Amino acid sequence: MKFNISFRGEDSSDGLIDVTEVGESLSGLGMAFSRASFYLEHGKVRYKAPYSDSVSFQIRAPEKGSVEFEAAILILGPAATAIGLNISGSLIYDFIKAVFKRATGSDTPEDLAPWDKRVPRGSFDAIADSIQNPLKRAHTPIGSTASNIVIVSGSNNKVVFNNRTKQYLFNDNFNAEVKQKAMYVTAMNGRDRTGRIFMRDEGRGVGFSIDHTTSDAAVELLLWSHSQYFRKKDADIFVTYQAYETIDEKVKRIVVRNVTPADPSGYLN
């Protein structure tokens, strides 16, 4: 499976680009590719190496007169099918394209539709979050020696990074408005009081942190929701929160202030 990574605009229009910036960008892309493909192979989200022994991403040297790299997905051995998918180069690319778009806020319902029944929505969002830091590195040339980065396979199957996607990755606006919505907890980390929570009205998962003023009773409800989710039972709770948002008011992560049961009788039992 082959595809191209192009740096366009600014200095790159003249066939030139800063070597440290393109190196940082390709390093970030390679890390993001590896994390996304690891999930496809093993059904797990991973933030650190080692990644797959079966799937790798390689590039060929650019040809004279352009700043364009030909990249290839190589499947070196039998890959596991933990989530019930037969791994192929084209499937990996399509999955990565959808995850990259989700991670940079440029996804559409059409991008996600093929994965709705294959990958749990909460897991898909967790994968997208896990590659945000590598994608920040991938955006290094944007606004400096390149206007955009295009990753393309075929005539129109592409991902575009530009100033808008860079702003999405780097800019968080804290919204002080206190809101309450139905959610359920999909992951929790007791060490740093963080986790992931699925927002029903938005149909996607986001990261959360627990404010130091949040009561022990509210924390117990978060733990209960996670336990219910793990056992595949009704895990809904009402969460009072404030949010960090993008410039177009899309929630990126929330700060939990309080939690109440969605169904008090079900919680008490």
Side-chain angles (χ1 to χ4, degrees):
M1 174 67 189
K2 296 180 180 179
F3 54 96
N4 292 322
I5 302 171
S6 302
F7 297 82
R8 303 175 182 177
E10 306 291 345
D11 293 342
S12 65
S13 296
D14 297 324
L16 299 170
I17 194 167
D18 186 278
V19 67
T20 57
E21 292 191 355
V22 75
E24 183 77 359
S25 180
L26 291 175
S27 177
L29 284 173
M31 192 178 299
F33 276 124
S34 296
R35 291 182 184 180
S37 62
F38 182 88
Y39 180 85
L40 272 184
E41 185 177 352
H42 298 283
K44 299 177 182 178
V45 179
R46 192 159 199 165
Y47 286 81
K48 296 181 179 180
Y51 300 115
S52 174
D53 292 327
S54 302
V55 181
S56 66
F57 301 89
Q58 301 184 7
I59 62 170
R60 295 179 180 176
E63 296 181 3
K64 184 178 179 180
S66 69
V67 183
E68 181 170 298
F69 296 86
E70 182 178 84
I73 298 171
L74 302 181
I75 302 176
L76 304 176
T81 55
I83 59 174
L85 299 173
N86 293 318
I87 304 299
S88 67
S90 58
L91 181 141
I92 293 174
Y93 178 84
D94 288 342
F95 180 73
I96 286 171
K97 180 185 72 172
V99 172
F100 278 19
K101 287 189 173 185
R102 185 66 159 189
T104 55
S106 55
D107 59 290
T108 66
E110 290 75 21
D111 294 316
L112 302 184
W115 309 103
D116 275 345
K117 295 182 179 179
R118 296 180 171 185
V119 180
R121 181 60 63 85
S123 296
F124 195 93
D125 292 317
I127 302 161
D129 281 359
S130 78
I131 66 171
Q132 286 208 347
N133 283 335
L135 288 185
K136 287 180 180 180
R137 295 177 62 184
H139 278 70
T140 299
I142 300 295
S144 176
T145 56
S147 299
N148 54 67
I149 301 170
V150 181
I151 306 170
V152 60
S153 173
S155 59
N156 198 37
N157 193 9
K158 62 185 178 181
V159 177
V160 178
F161 297 151
N162 50 32
N163 188 57
R164 194 206 65 78
T165 59
K166 188 170 186 175
Q167 286 185 349
Y168 181 91
L169 288 169
F170 283 90
N171 295 340
D172 289 341
N173 301 310
F174 181 69
N175 186 344
E177 181 182 358
V178 178
K179 300 179 180 180
Q180 184 186 66
K181 292 182 180 179
M183 309 182 194
Y184 58 86
V185 178
T186 59
M188 282 194 72
N189 187 330
R191 289 182 302 175
D192 58 7
R193 293 165 64 90
T194 62
R196 294 195 60 78
I197 200 161
F198 192 86
M199 305 182 71
R200 281 203 176 274
D201 66 326
E202 297 202 12
R204 63 193 184 92
V206 299
F208 73 85
S209 59
I210 304 172
D211 186 69
H212 70 279
T213 62
T214 303
S215 69
D216 289 344
V219 175
E220 288 292 333
L221 271 167
L222 291 169
L223 290 168
W224 173 84
S225 178
H226 185 223
S227 175
Q228 290 287 98
Y229 169 77
F230 181 78
R231 293 183 291 172
K232 298 182 179 181
K233 295 184 177 182
D234 181 12
D236 276 10
I237 48 178
F238 286 122
V239 178
T240 303
Y241 69 96
Q242 293 169 299
Y244 288 89
E245 301 175 341
T246 65
I247 55 176
D248 57 357
E249 299 184 349
K250 181 180 291 186
V251 175
K252 294 185 74 173
R253 65 185 188 279
I254 68 170
V255 179
V256 175
R257 302 298 185 188
N258 193 26
V259 185
T260 55
D263 178 5
S265 63
Y267 170 64
L268 293 175
N269 292 330

